[in-house]
Amino acid sequence: MTKNIYVEGISEVPVPMGKVELVERKGIGHPDSVADALAEEVSKALCKMYKKELGTVLHHNTDETQIAAGQSSPKFGGGVIVDPAYILLVGRATTHLKDRDLPCKPTALKAARDYLRKTFPNLNVDSDIILDAKLGQGSDDLRGVYQTSKFLANDTSFGVGYAPYSLTDRAVLETEEYINGALKKVLPETGQDVKVMASRVNKTLTMTVACAMVGKYIKDADHYVSAVEEMKSKVYDNLLKIVGNDLKVKLDVNTGDNIKKKVFYLTCTGLSQEMGDDGSVGRGNRANGLITPYRPMSMEATSGKNPITHIGKIYNVMSKIIAEDVSKKIPADVEVRVRLLSQIGKPVSHPLNANVQLVTKDQSKIAKWKKEAEVIVENWLDNVDKVSEMIIEGKVRTF
């Protein structure tokens, strides 16, 4: 059976070399990212439970998790949660077989609580949120398509990926990771709800960072201002380490603040879901961790979908991996774009269309790179089970 692999050259300026580039990342504490993370943690936990109980992963999709914001009264030196945020773990799961029931909801709830406790130290999981789960048995037709031994696609859908990351991509991704990583050791005043947006025009990068601040670590307005300034200074220094002399950098932090009017981005938990911001799976970062309007993107949510047959997950993850592998074989200034399209009921390893685009103004070596790209695509399609295992083990990013 043909794998329908098409490699083509595209004669245009790659995005990193163009005049304008926009890149965004919603940090791990953004409500949409929290929803993505919980959906993915639940899926991974269900996979491991199914394998433990039955030796194989059963049909499930938990990609509809919703967060309804609560109400809080933050203040310097503390604050209180007035009404907890409501988190609903929603999806389909194989809850029972003919001869036995399976502990899907307890598995989901435990996975969600464990993640929240581990990731958000200022969140009291017992009192600051209400956590619920609605996991019902899937439909007969989709469960019928789901056969792990055959890896049949459960949807007619597509996944996309590109490589390599541009300098702007790296600046955005690594800035958020720095704020929610090393910076926390010296500035606990900073919360986990971070949003990073970058605009590059020619060689000038303007980055805007919004970071929820944690009231219990901040004694007054002056302390707040100094903490934000210290964060800005440290983020700026780290940003220079990323971009070096290749880009001129301008950084703005918490531009919504109005100190004279006493308007501060202040929270109790470091998460805006405590008051004002709802969250949903798939509304934030794509599978490469970024939102990139100048690159090909899929609107499909990646997190929470089953890693065996759901194209919305497998092809988005695989497209990124393929693009990265192809980019290692060709010059770094060539942009690689990958799109994989499935047909429901057909083997995941045999897409209807597997398209690789090599974007460069110099098309003279496309023929040489074409064969290498085809081999890489075919190899990953032949090893789709490896992609599934990487997802289950948490070795790949989904948001």
Side-chain angles (χ1 to χ4, degrees):
M1 184 184 294
T2 178
K3 289 187 174 7
N4 300 311
I5 300 172
Y6 309 102
V7 180
E8 61 180 328
I10 302 293
S11 182
E12 62 182 55
V13 177
V15 169
M17 300 168 64
K19 181 180 180 66
V20 178
E21 185 179 11
L22 304 179
V23 180
E24 176 185 1
R25 174 164 170 79
K26 295 179 178 179
I28 59 171
H30 188 286
D32 292 332
S33 295
V34 176
D36 281 331
L38 294 179
E40 188 64 8
E41 290 298 314
V42 169
S43 174
K44 290 189 294 185
L46 287 175
C47 287
K48 292 172 182 177
M49 181 272 289
Y50 287 141
K51 291 178 76 172
K52 179 181 178 181
E53 296 287 331
L54 301 160
T56 188
V57 178
L58 299 184
H59 177 264
H60 71 278
N61 291 304
T62 58
D63 57 334
E64 298 292 342
T65 292
Q66 300 288 322
I67 299 176
Q71 287 188 316
S72 64
S73 180
K75 65 179 182 179
F76 295 122
V80 295
I81 300 297
V82 178
D83 186 16
Y86 178 73
I87 300 177
L88 181 61
L89 308 174
V90 186
R92 301 293 95 191
T94 304
T95 59
H96 59 270
L97 298 176
K98 291 181 179 180
D99 58 343
R100 66 190 298 183
D101 294 319
L102 296 165
C104 293
K105 288 185 181 179
T107 298
L109 290 167
K110 182 180 186 305
R113 289 194 182 99
D114 287 348
Y115 176 82
L116 292 170
R117 288 195 177 100
K118 177 182 68 176
T119 311
F120 306 119
N122 298 303
L123 180 73
N124 187 324
V125 176
D126 296 323
S127 62
D128 295 346
I129 62 165
I130 297 171
L131 186 61
D132 194 4
K134 299 291 183 182
L135 301 177
Q137 190 91 341
S139 64
D140 290 341
D141 58 334
L142 288 181
R143 283 189 290 122
V145 168
Y146 184 95
Q147 298 180 54
T148 57
S149 60
K150 295 183 179 180
F151 286 90
L152 302 181
N154 79 332
D155 196 4
T156 300
S157 187
F158 64 88
V160 302
Y162 70 86
Y165 282 129
S166 69
L167 197 55
T168 308
D169 291 334
R170 286 186 49 226
V172 169
L173 184 63
E174 293 176 27
T175 293
E176 187 274 331
E177 291 176 338
Y178 170 71
I179 296 172
N180 274 323
L183 185 64
K184 291 291 184 282
K185 297 176 182 178
V186 294
L187 269 179
E189 295 97 325
T190 58
Q192 279 76 29
D193 195 338
V194 177
K195 181 176 178 178
V196 181
M197 179 74 76
S199 167
R200 179 187 59 78
V201 179
N202 293 321
K203 294 294 185 178
T204 299
L205 181 74
T206 301
M207 179 175 287
T208 306
V209 173
C211 179
M213 306 298 283
V214 185
K216 67 181 179 181
Y217 300 120
I218 303 173
K219 61 183 180 181
D220 53 30
D222 288 341
H223 185 178
Y224 178 94
V225 172
S226 67
V228 171
E229 284 300 317
E230 185 176 358
M231 173 175 62
K232 182 176 180 180
S233 176
K234 291 184 180 300
V235 170
Y236 184 83
D237 289 344
N238 189 71
L239 189 54
L240 291 181
K241 294 177 183 178
I242 300 168
V243 304
N245 296 319
D246 293 323
L247 295 175
K248 179 182 177 182
V249 173
K250 181 179 184 294
L251 175 65
D252 294 306
V253 177
N254 285 8
T255 57
D257 290 345
N258 189 320
I259 307 305
K260 291 182 179 179
K261 294 184 178 180
K262 298 182 179 180
V263 176
F264 309 95
Y265 191 3
L266 198 65
T267 66
C268 298
T269 63
L271 305 172
S272 64
Q273 70 182 35
E274 72 182 41
M275 186 169 69
D277 278 359
D278 303 318
S280 300
V281 175
R283 292 186 68 251
N285 310 315
R286 301 300 89 193
N288 67 345
L290 299 169
I291 301 168
T292 52
Y294 281 66
R295 307 278 197 156
M297 293 196 303
S298 167
M299 294 301 293
E300 189 89 39
T302 302
S303 298
K305 289 179 167 64
N306 86 71
I308 308 298
T309 65
H310 208 305
I311 294 305
K313 167 167 278 181
I314 300 168
Y315 275 7
N316 275 315
V317 171
M318 188 186 291
S319 293
K320 177 176 179 288
I321 294 173
I322 289 172
E324 290 172 342
D325 279 2
V326 172
S327 72
K328 294 173 185 176
K329 300 291 186 179
I330 60 180
D333 60 355
V334 178
E335 181 183 351
V336 181
R337 302 170 183 170
V338 177
R339 299 171 178 87
L340 303 175
L341 171 66
S342 70
Q343 277 188 319
I344 190 169
K346 303 296 184 181
V348 176
S349 58
H350 290 77
L352 180 64
N353 189 317
N355 177 227
V356 178
Q357 295 180 328
L358 305 177
V359 183
T360 176
K361 292 293 288 184
D362 180 9
Q363 294 286 300
S364 62
K365 296 182 180 179
I366 292 298
K368 173 185 176 182
W369 301 330
K370 181 177 178 180
K371 184 60 180 178
E372 289 182 306
E374 289 174 345
V375 170
I376 290 170
V377 174
E378 187 163 8
N379 178 64
W380 277 109
L381 289 171
D382 282 340
N383 290 278
V384 64
D385 57 320
K386 292 184 179 179
V387 178
S388 297
E389 196 60 33
M390 290 165 67
I391 294 170
I392 294 171
E393 295 301 321
K395 294 180 179 180
V396 293
R397 185 190 296 275
T398 63
F399 70 94

